Amino acid sequence: MIVFLIGYMGCGKSSLGRELARRTGWKFVDMDKEVERECGGRTVSEIFAAEGEAFFRTCERQVLERLCGERKMIVATGGGVPCFGDNLEVMNAAGRTVYFKMTPRQLAARLHHGRDKRPILRGMDDEQMLRFIERNLATRESFYGRASMTIDCDGVSDDYICRHVQMYMDQLSAK
Ligand code: S3P
């Protein structure tokens, strides 16, 4: 079984994934880091700048296909992964997807400092970023909304989120 953590940039997939792996003893992989490794150690921003987004999405897909053969693994996906091609179906067939749902306002606040690492948000001021997230998330919700499980993450602690994912994982392994 693989648990894919999905959701918009800044929703906490990587830090929560690492914490979940610590609690469960499962392996943890961050897809952005895997793509960076496979692209010769370049950062996501460098890959976007040098090769373009389409190339980056192809790399994400290749990494996803490779990970699908794993067991007992928690995967923090990049925010765009479920929204391209049939990636979401591939993840739901290989394991379960857990969507960390947050409002645009909360995401924008959390991305205040992290925006420079995200090429899609580069150069936007706070107001532009909030408007962009509102529009972009509205489009992406149709993909994220098809996750196996959704957790409403606004105003709740990391511990609450981890315990919910763990309960879900326990239910799955009991079946
Ligand atoms: C992206 C999300 C990023 C990274 C890239 C594109 C997106 O990952 O893959 O900048 O399209 O939402 P995080 O969600 O980990 O920030």
Side-chain angles (χ1 to χ4, degrees), residues 9 13 32 44 56-57 60 77-80 118-120 140:
M9 292 173 270
K13 299 169 300 254
D32 281 341
V44 169
F56 175 78
R57 300 300 173 194
E60 277 188 325
T77 62
R118 272 84 172 194
I120 289 174
R140 289 186 171 189

Side-chain angles (χ1 to χ4, degrees), residues 134-171:
E134 282 170 347
R135 283 197 311 275
N136 193 217
L137 186 58
T139 314
R140 289 186 171 189
E141 276 284 351
S142 61
F143 297 95
Y144 296 151
R146 288 172 9 223
S148 326
M149 184 212 199
T150 296
I151 302 182
D152 230 311
C153 294
D154 271 322
V156 301
S157 67
D158 284 2
D159 179 57
Y160 171 95
I161 298 168
C162 284
R163 279 190 288 114
H164 269 69
V165 180
Q166 277 181 277
M167 275 191 288
Y168 180 58
M169 289 167 72
D170 289 344
Q171 282 168 15

Side-chain angles (χ1 to χ4, degrees), residues 65-79:
E65 285 176 10
R66 174 166 60 74
L67 293 177
C68 281
E70 294 283 343
R71 299 187 62 229
K72 291 200 168 188
M73 178 176 272
I74 294 165
V75 178
T77 62

Side-chain angles (χ1 to χ4, degrees), residues 4-8 11 13 77 82 88 91 97-100 144 147:
F4 295 96
L5 307 179
I6 70 171
Y8 207 75
C11 72
K13 299 169 300 254
T77 62
L88 184 67
M91 291 189 280
T97 44
V98 176
Y99 172 32
F100 295 152
Y144 296 151

